[in-house]
Amino acid sequence: MNTPYTPGIAPQRLSADELYENFTDLHAPLDHHEAAVAADRCYFCHDAPCITACPTDIDIPLFIRQIATGTPEAAAKTIFDMNILGGMCARVCPTEDLCEEACVRELAEGKPVEIGRLQRYATDTVMAQGKMPFVRAAPTGHKVAVVGAGPAGLSCAHRLAVLGHDVVVFDAMPKPGGLNEYGIAAYKTTEDFAAREADWLCSIGGIEIRNEMVLGRDIALDDLSRDFSAVFLGMGLGGVNALSVEGDEKDGVKDAVSFIRDLRQADDLASLPVGRNVVVIGGGMTAVDAAVQSKLLGAQQVTIAYRRGRDAMSASRYEQDLAASMGVNLLFNAQPKAIHGNGAAAEIELEFTSTDGGALAGTGETIRLAADQVFRAIGQTLTSDSGLDLNGRKIAVTDAGRTSREGVWAGGDCASGGDDLTVTAVAEGRDAAIDIHATLMGGK
Ligand SMILES: Cc1cc2nc3c(=O)[nH]c(=O)nc-3n(C[C@H](O)[C@H](O)[C@H](O)COP(=O)(O)OP(=O)(O)OC[C@H]3O[C@@H](n4cnc5c(N)ncnc54)[C@H](O)[C@@H]3O)c2cc1C
Ligand code: SF4
């Protein structure tokens, strides 16, 4: 057995008990009584600001009232009507920046109604019963191809299936779920929830998932357009940006997303090697998740280095505070300059930065940190555009996800205009499905 002080990158830094404790649910689920008490705090506002702040427009006061009146099944149906991945969103949504930030009780008292936990209470109740609260409409005779079984693709597939279409989902990975399965922090989605949710969602029927099928390798967009009535692309952002600094090829330098993917798929967390001194480069949720989970695996020192100030970080203040509370150091206004070490990373050299009129510049002052493991978390990129028009580095879409090619829609992280959140991907998949339906049935 190793310890947090064992040099280099090593597995088994903590005992099985410590790892179990570290990776349990971040927020314990509410029991019946706690849910009733939490629901009782809602004012059931007219023109509720929490609804406007929800990217999927869930009728929050209605579902909270349904919980308050002892009908969590009805509450779940209210949620699933708008967001079929309401169970995952209840676990991973940055509610502190969305519905709970907008809640009038947050404004008045600094303590919002616990919308996320109440949503989880309702959705878990129905999923535990194994019930699918939707039935399919009569078959339309249309077959739609969905590329990507992440939140956008699954949400689109479910809505299409409900509307009576048959759906084939092609996904590159061995399991469905996208980043729900391979990316979200392990302590936010425990007990194989992503896989259980995908199974439950597909229990509507009419959805066939074909795994390990890669668009651009095993299938082409031309073939899908020919063989299906419509195509929805929800393939996310599979590529990761390079650091492009001296020494970035050294052993121990890795992209954060693949580290998290390995962690999410590990049968035994103790077998996962982690550095004694870990430095994560980036300022988003990926950076926070890589840093926090390195710490939870037993790394002794973990630092997030971000090139701008705290307020510019895309990870919310809540996520930043979570990282700090786990013992992660946050270093602002510092950008990587070089990684030093003989073959393997041993130190990272960072240059301090200043911002002048929005432009970032190095100050010339540097700092060196011990780093046997360096994670890159500086953004992800589209891996294939399939010849579609782009808007910036994403597939250009208008209206409800229409791309430059007739009969092809896109949504979620791969499409322009979103904010790279699970809940936004769900909303865009749902809206594209409704638009596909209207188009196929001759409405548009
Ligand atoms: C580490 C990490 C942590 C995150 N944490 C949070 C969080 O806590 N809360 C939150 O709201 N958001 C979080 N996000 C963002 C969120 O996960 C994404 O916004 C969301 O998953 C986007 O959904 P999507 O369906 O568009 O794409 P994805 O979830 O990326 O799914 C895309 C799917 O397409 C498949 N695919 C890709 N290319 C191809 C191809 N060529 N052919 C076939 N299939 C393909 C992939 O295998 C994948 O299954 C996080 C992201 C990361 C990277
Ligand atoms: S804003 Fe807060 S109090 Fe008002 S309906 Fe929404 S959750 Fe309830």
Side-chain angles (χ1 to χ4, degrees), residues 34-54:
E34 288 167 332
V37 172
D40 209 35
R41 293 191 63 240
C42 181
Y43 292 142
F44 310 119
C45 308
H46 182 63
D47 287 338
C50 54
I51 304 181
T52 315
C54 172

Side-chain angles (χ1 to χ4, degrees), residues 23-29 91 120 187-190:
F23 283 90
T24 49
D25 234 327
L26 185 59
H27 301 293
R91 290 160 165 80
R120 176 170 172 182
Y187 47 81
K188 290 186 187 169
T189 164
T190 57

Side-chain angles (χ1 to χ4, degrees), residues 89 91-94 147-154 170-173 175-180 182-185 188 213-217 219 234-238 256-257 260 285-287 289-290 293 319 380 383-384 411-415 419-426:
C89 289
R91 290 160 165 80
V92 307
C93 259
V147 180
L154 289 176
F170 300 90
D171 194 278
M173 298 299 280
K175 296 185 198 171
L179 289 169
N180 286 356
Y182 293 102
I184 298 286
K188 290 186 187 169
M213 293 291 285
V214 179
L215 181 70
R217 186 190 73 186
I219 36 168
M235 62 230 184
L237 299 171
V257 177
I260 294 169
M285 272 190 196
T286 307
D289 287 357
Q293 291 179 113
E319 299 271 346
Q380 294 169 259
T383 48
S384 156
D413 285 4
C414 71
D419 52 10
D420 294 356
L421 292 176
T422 309
V423 66
T424 315
V426 173

Side-chain angles (χ1 to χ4, degrees), residues 41-45 48-50 60-61 64 102-105 113 115:
R41 293 191 63 240
C42 181
Y43 292 142
F44 310 119
C45 308
C50 54
I60 293 166
I64 295 181
C103 175
V104 295
R105 296 206 74 152
V113 174
I115 302 168

Side-chain angles (χ1 to χ4, degrees), residues 195-216:
R196 287 192 285 119
E197 187 178 51
D199 281 350
W200 171 82
L201 180 148
C202 289
S203 69
I204 183 74
I207 302 174
E208 180 196 347
I209 297 189
R210 297 189 195 159
N211 288 115
E212 299 182 270
M213 293 291 285
V214 179
L215 181 70

